[in-house]
Amino acid sequence: MPELPEVEITRRGLAAHLIGLAVADVVIRDPRLRWPIPENLPVLLRGQTIRALKRRGKYLLVEFDYGTLILHLGMSGSLRILPANTLPEKHDHFDLVLDNGTLVRLRDPRRFGAVLWHGGDVHAHPLLATLGPEPLPDKFGEDGFDARYLHQATRGRSIAIKQCIMDNHIVVGVGNI
């Protein structure tokens, strides 16, 4: 599974290519990911402009004027920026076709990834609402993650520290690696 630093690198790399562009089309080849891709996603996204690309834990958040596309890479997923006429391969499940002649393609051989939509405050989405604070330096302290927080969060627990800090309710994004 991509770890939090890889997801952040993916976010930074994609942001430079996506922000300010409009969605020309959405192609769903196989909606059967971890959770089904919403059938109405093409109608919701066509014509909308990407306003920001953010991250919460290991979720990528593509912000539009009227909602947020929530992406997760799962165990083996990747996002690629390609020319819009690039033919899909076997594990290419989802394309976000942009108005500049490129697309963002989700390739996920194991189909553990996610492509979801949330129309309101994305942080209220059930997958995001109970996540712990962010550990990365550019977010350090913003969500309350510091040595004092970690000390408090580990008190009264009898599990190994590795299991504790891998709990996304304690701190997001800490993986096995």
Side-chain angles (χ1 to χ4, degrees):
M1 171 178 290
E3 302 294 350
L4 188 130
E6 285 91 6
V7 177
E8 178 62 16
I9 294 296
T10 298
R11 184 200 68 76
R12 291 178 186 184
L14 289 174
H17 297 280
L18 301 182
I19 295 173
L21 296 177
V23 175
D25 200 8
V26 174
V27 178
I28 302 170
R29 280 181 209 82
D30 189 347
R32 299 170 301 147
L33 298 179
R34 183 183 303 174
W35 300 283
I37 298 175
E39 291 177 19
N40 63 339
L41 206 52
V43 173
L44 291 169
L45 291 179
R46 268 190 214 112
Q48 283 213 55
T49 299
I50 298 170
R51 298 299 177 194
L53 186 59
K54 298 182 179 177
R55 181 193 50 74
R56 180 70 174 108
K58 294 182 183 180
Y59 293 94
L60 290 169
L61 309 174
V62 184
E63 292 185 355
F64 296 90
D65 287 330
Y66 304 105
T68 304
L69 186 66
I70 302 170
L71 303 172
H72 195 286
L73 300 177
M75 299 281 292
S76 58
S78 64
L79 292 168
R80 299 152 192 266
I81 296 179
L82 303 165
N85 61 355
T86 305
L87 294 176
E89 295 182 16
K90 181 178 180 182
H91 301 293
D92 294 342
H93 305 298
F94 173 82
D95 289 350
L96 197 61
V97 183
L98 305 171
D99 64 351
N100 70 345
T102 65
L103 61 81
V104 178
R105 178 167 286 162
L106 173 67
R107 177 173 292 165
D108 189 2
R110 298 176 76 183
R111 294 199 330 253
F112 289 151
V115 177
L116 303 169
W117 177 256
H118 190 75
D121 175 10
V122 73
H123 299 290
H125 188 280
L127 293 171
L128 305 176
T130 61
L131 292 178
E134 294 281 341
L136 289 181
D138 64 334
K139 297 272 189 175
F140 198 82
E142 186 176 303
D143 283 338
F145 184 79
D146 58 17
R148 182 173 302 154
Y149 166 81
L150 191 56
H151 181 264
Q152 274 304 116
T154 58
R155 300 303 94 198
R157 297 179 182 267
S158 60
I159 62 172
I161 190 68
K162 177 181 178 181
Q163 295 304 316
C164 184
I165 64 174
M166 284 180 59
D167 180 343
N168 280 320
H169 298 96
I170 303 294
V171 59
V172 296
V174 179
N176 266 333
I177 295 175

